[in-house]
Amino acid sequence: MSFFKLSTQQLRVRPASPRELPPSRQMECGHSLGYPAHASNLLQYQARTGSAGARPAINEGSLSCWLKSWLTSNETSIIEMLERNGNAAFAVEVTYAVADSTASRVFLSRNISILGTARTLDEVGTILTADKLYGSRRKVVFSGGRMELQHTYLVGQRV
C-alpha cells in the first residue's frame, strides 16, 4: 500500500517487498484459500480476489496517519534499539481490520509492533521468517464475515 511508505525526521518505512517475505504456507502447499490470511499488503489481496475498485475505501488514508503518528512517537526508542544492537534496519508488523459493507470498505487501526532489527535492509529476511509471519496465526473474521484482520509487513531504516 503506497500510504505505508513514509518518513519521519530520522526514520523511513516502506512495505516489505516480495523478495523480503517468505512464501506463505498456502503457496508452498500449492493451493490458495482465496483470502489474505497473512497478506503482505491489501493491493496483492485485491488483485487476487478482483475486489480492487469494487467498493471504494472510506478511510484508508487514516492508516497512514496512524502509522506516521506511531513512528513519530516511537522514533527515539527505535533509534536506541538500532544503536544498541548495532543494526541499521528494522521490521514492523501493522495489523488493521478491513470492514466490508455493500457500498464501501472501512479500514480500522488495530496494532503496530516491531518484529526485530537487522544489520542491513538486505538482511531483514532474517526477521521476516515464515514461522514468525505465518506460524500460529489464524484467519480472524468478525461480524458475520464482514470484517477481517490484515497484516502488513514494513521494513525501515534511518534516513
Side-chain angles (χ1 to χ4, degrees):
M1 300 172 118
S2 62
F3 53 82
F4 280 148
K5 183 178 180 180
L6 51 88
S7 299
T8 64
Q9 286 185 340
Q10 298 184 58
L11 298 173
R12 178 179 317 154
V13 295
R14 64 167 172 75
S17 68
R19 70 175 173 75
E20 294 165 328
L21 295 172
S24 70
R25 296 248 162 89
Q26 288 86 9
M27 299 302 277
E28 290 172 354
C29 294
H31 68 296
S32 173
L33 299 178
Y35 61 84
H38 313 295
S40 64
N41 69 48
L42 183 61
L43 296 178
Q44 290 173 351
Y45 166 62
Q46 290 174 336
R48 280 198 314 273
T49 61
S51 64
R55 291 176 293 259
I58 300 274
N59 65 333
E60 66 185 344
S62 69
L63 294 178
S64 179
C65 293
W66 170 55
L67 175 61
K68 177 99 176 189
S69 176
W70 179 88
L71 195 60
T72 301
S73 297
N74 291 285
E75 187 174 58
T76 303
S77 60
I78 293 169
I79 290 170
E80 287 172 358
M81 182 187 312
L82 289 170
E83 289 174 351
R84 182 176 54 247
N85 296 328
N87 292 326
F90 59 98
V92 175
E93 178 183 57
V94 178
T95 304
Y96 57 96
V98 179
D100 286 326
S101 71
T102 55
S104 63
R105 302 184 85 119
V106 178
F107 294 85
L108 309 165
S109 56
R110 301 290 288 183
N111 188 40
I112 301 175
S113 58
I114 295 179
L115 298 175
T117 64
R119 284 189 326 121
T120 66
L121 281 176
D122 290 336
E123 295 177 7
V124 79
T126 62
I127 302 166
L128 301 173
T129 63
D131 284 342
K132 187 171 271 189
L133 273 54
Y134 315 125
S136 62
R137 245 193 227 147
R138 296 175 308 192
K139 178 180 177 184
V140 179
V141 179
F142 301 97
S143 180
R146 295 189 179 263
M147 185 184 312
E148 291 184 28
L149 284 184
Q150 303 293 316
H151 306 278
T152 295
Y153 300 97
L154 310 177
V155 295
Q157 65 184 16
R158 290 182 81 168
V159 177

